[in-house]
Amino acid sequence: MNLEKIHNVYFIGIGGIGMSALARYFKLIGKNVSGYDKTESPLTKELVAAGIEIHYEDDLKMVSETYFDSESTLIVYTPAVPTDHSEYQYFLSNDFEVKKRSEVLGLITKDTFCLAVAGTHGKTTTSSILAHLLKEAEVPMTAFLGGISEDFNSNFFFQGNEYSVVEADEFDRSFLRLYPDVACVTSMDADHLDIYGDTNELQKSFKSFADKIKPEGTLFVRNGLPLKGLTYGIDDDADYCIRNVRVEQGAYVFDLHTPKTTLLDAKFNKPGRHNLLNALVAFAMAEQTGASIDSLVGALNTFKGVQRRFSYKIKSDDFVFIDDYAHHPTEINAVYEAVLEMHPNKKTLAVFQPHLFSRTKDFADDFAESLSKFDSVLLLPIYPAREEPMVGITAQWLSDKIKNPNKKVIDKIAIIKEIKEQKPEVVITMGAGDIGLEVSAIQKEFEYAN
């Protein structure tokens, strides 16, 4: 498919984080862009403000005539859209070019020097750090991010098209549509077992992704993962290694060892050893572009973060409120370790919204163990996303597995009331569903009270 011959791009599921980044890209390069989504959201409102028409009913009558020319129109859809969606079925049955988001991303980035970030955890933070480093080093690049970067206030950034930064998503094997020059794999923990069936199949998929790297390309692998590449780690024998870590005024200070040199007293401001690893591999990938090492090290110190990735909403001596996207036991453990390191001996309250019935079922015991570490836990009903309910798989069922006695299943409307009654010193909201929509109300309620 020749994108130059495409004048109109219509998105089915335009409000998704990855879809909206693509919509911004096509709008930027002068295409006609519009789309459908099931519900209005902050993201769709921003797209509308940028001049993109969006409707919220599955109704072809609401699609502009412009998009019914099959010769000049590209239809982009997300796998989250049901196959019986009438708009999707119409375009599919009438000889339109209909492609998944991942296919289109692959087409856009194929002729660039593509830097792809893969892994079951850490993709969004790592790719956002990488984009920030390249921006500060004035590398001509386009970034498609899976979250809202606080440095760009967007999930899309354009500074040229010679290089591209993308998240390589393992869901639905989407990352096999990419053609990276440089890639990393941050983690290969079991996840998306509704797609893969078992961990072995998931790991095979990551090996297939590694094989997609161009012949002269480079793969970075977190030390210990079963893939061949340049390794990175903390206090180990990795090719890229962080050593002598200390915390000074709430930030990490460390020495960064590369195969060629040692950089002393580098600084990074985001809490958590997992974020230090993300920063390290982002640096290693950015170095492959030939960017100035000094500018890259300096940019590590100025990275602001990503919304909903250990985001401080309130940070005072008496009360701390953190919001995080964590929706897997490994991610919850990482959040807990970061809280423990940055706020030791503080009373913690975790508010967790499980995401997907299948994930809750597959990792129930691990979720229970991870959540039990906090002083108290509030569980919200399971966020279904693309799934139908499963008999017996409920928040109460998960709660029964949590050994910590300080636990309760509540509805979202009761979150603020429970926080007031429990009087924690640190509150952490976690989950990949719509719990993020509650964050501003919680922040507003406690910002001035503390």
Side-chain angles (χ1 to χ4, degrees), residues 389-406:
M390 291 182 176
V391 175
I393 308 303
T394 65
Q396 187 59 56
W397 173 77
L398 176 59
S399 177
D400 291 342
K401 292 177 173 290
I402 296 174
K403 293 179 181 177
N404 186 334
N406 302 315

Side-chain angles (χ1 to χ4, degrees), residues 15-18 39 41 43 80 120-124 146-147 167 169-171 191-192 307-310 323-329 331-332 335 351-357 359-360 367 371 378-387 412 428-439:
I17 193 73
T39 54
S41 69
L43 272 178
T120 45
H121 321 297
K123 289 186 295 293
T124 298
E167 290 190 30
D169 190 0
E170 75 280 1
F171 174 72
D191 199 4
H192 303 302
Q307 288 182 15
R308 305 216 63 230
R309 268 65 174 186
F310 210 91
D323 180 46
D324 197 275
Y325 193 67
H327 57 283
H328 184 283
E331 295 165 352
I332 294 172
V335 170
V351 185
F352 178 59
Q353 181 187 50
H355 185 263
L356 297 178
F357 295 98
R359 183 182 282 124
T360 305
F367 275 124
L371 291 167
L378 298 176
L379 277 182
L380 302 182
I382 298 170
Y383 185 80
R386 58 187 179 271
E387 294 184 339
K412 286 186 293 184
I428 312 102
T429 48
M430 294 182 288
D434 60 3
I435 187 173
L437 299 178
E438 306 302 312
V439 170

Side-chain angles (χ1 to χ4, degrees), residues 125-190:
T125 300
T126 303
S127 57
S128 297
I129 299 170
L130 175 56
H132 171 69
L133 299 185
L134 296 180
K135 173 186 176 290
E136 294 301 298
E138 300 182 349
V139 173
M141 61 89 192
T142 306
F144 300 89
L145 307 175
I148 304 299
S149 161
E150 293 178 358
D151 293 276
F152 310 138
N153 196 31
S154 179
N155 55 344
F156 172 73
F157 181 76
F158 181 84
Q159 186 169 273
N161 52 21
E162 187 176 338
Y163 294 83
S164 59
V165 174
V166 299
E167 290 190 30
D169 190 0
E170 75 280 1
F171 174 72
D172 201 29
R173 296 177 172 84
S174 292
F175 58 2
L176 300 184
R177 305 282 187 179
L178 299 172
Y179 309 90
D181 294 270
V182 175
C184 75
V185 176
T186 64
S187 50
M188 292 166 56
D189 292 331

Side-chain angles (χ1 to χ4, degrees), residues 225-425:
L225 294 181
L227 290 173
K228 290 184 179 179
L230 289 172
T231 56
Y232 68 97
I234 298 176
D235 289 331
D236 57 18
D237 59 352
D239 298 307
Y240 284 77
C241 186
I242 283 176
R243 297 194 180 100
N244 190 25
V245 182
R246 58 266 191 210
V247 177
E248 295 181 5
Q249 297 178 327
Y252 288 117
V253 182
F254 53 91
D255 300 336
L256 199 164
H257 297 261
T258 79
K260 295 180 180 178
T261 188
T262 296
L263 304 162
L264 301 177
D265 299 330
K267 294 181 180 180
F268 188 68
N269 291 297
K270 296 305 291 182
R273 296 296 174 107
H274 61 298
N275 279 324
L276 262 187
L277 285 168
N278 294 337
L280 175 59
V281 74
F283 172 89
M285 294 177 75
E287 191 183 35
Q288 296 292 306
T289 68
S292 157
I293 299 298
D294 289 341
S295 67
L296 296 179
V297 172
L300 282 175
N301 188 34
T302 58
F303 175 68
K304 294 179 182 177
V306 183
Q307 288 182 15
R308 305 216 63 230
R309 268 65 174 186
F310 210 91
S311 299
Y312 281 104
K313 296 300 177 181
I314 301 173
K315 190 176 183 182
S316 67
D317 292 338
D318 301 322
F319 185 80
V320 173
F321 173 31
I322 299 163
D323 180 46
D324 197 275
Y325 193 67
H327 57 283
H328 184 283
T330 300
E331 295 165 352
I332 294 172
N333 287 336
V335 170
Y336 176 77
E337 293 298 329
V339 170
L340 196 65
E341 184 173 37
M342 294 297 171
H343 307 286
N345 306 313
K346 297 280 189 179
K347 181 183 176 183
T348 58
L349 168 62
V351 185
F352 178 59
Q353 181 187 50
H355 185 263
L356 297 178
F357 295 98
S358 59
R359 183 182 282 124
T360 305
K361 175 177 176 289
D362 290 336
F363 304 109
D365 291 340
D366 294 327
F367 275 124
E369 183 178 346
S370 299
L371 291 167
S372 293
K373 296 175 181 178
F374 296 91
D375 292 313
S376 57
V377 181
L378 298 176
L379 277 182
L380 302 182
I382 298 170
Y383 185 80
R386 58 187 179 271
E387 294 184 339
E388 294 297 322
M390 291 182 176
V391 175
I393 308 303
T394 65
Q396 187 59 56
W397 173 77
L398 176 59
S399 177
D400 291 342
K401 292 177 173 290
I402 296 174
K403 293 179 181 177
N404 186 334
N406 302 315
K407 59 186 179 181
K408 185 182 286 190
V409 177
I410 65 167
D411 290 321
K412 286 186 293 184
I413 196 171
I415 294 175
I416 290 174
K417 172 177 170 288
E418 286 291 334
I419 295 173
K420 287 181 176 180
E421 289 182 359
Q422 296 200 30
K423 296 183 173 60
E425 294 168 283

Side-chain angles (χ1 to χ4, degrees), residues 18-92:
M19 293 280 278
S20 59
L22 279 181
R24 292 179 192 279
Y25 168 78
F26 282 116
K27 181 71 174 175
L28 178 74
I29 64 172
K31 308 295 185 184
N32 297 314
V33 179
S34 71
Y36 155 88
D37 207 88
K38 187 176 180 180
T39 54
E40 189 178 43
S41 69
L43 272 178
T44 61
K45 289 177 181 177
E46 288 179 10
L47 293 178
V48 170
I52 296 173
E53 290 185 4
I54 300 175
H55 61 270
Y56 303 96
E57 294 177 40
D58 178 11
D59 185 353
L60 281 165
K61 293 177 183 176
M62 303 187 77
V63 181
S64 169
E65 283 294 324
T66 305
Y67 300 92
F68 285 95
D69 177 9
S70 61
E71 296 296 318
S72 62
T73 300
L74 168 65
I75 308 299
V76 187
Y77 75 98
T78 169
V81 171
T83 54
D84 61 354
H85 191 276
S86 67
E87 292 182 13
Y88 169 75
Q89 284 297 330
Y90 172 83
F91 291 119
L92 198 64

Side-chain angles (χ1 to χ4, degrees), residues 218-230:
T218 304
L219 176 66
F220 293 94
V221 181
R222 199 192 75 211
N223 206 9
L225 294 181
L227 290 173
K228 290 184 179 179
L230 289 172

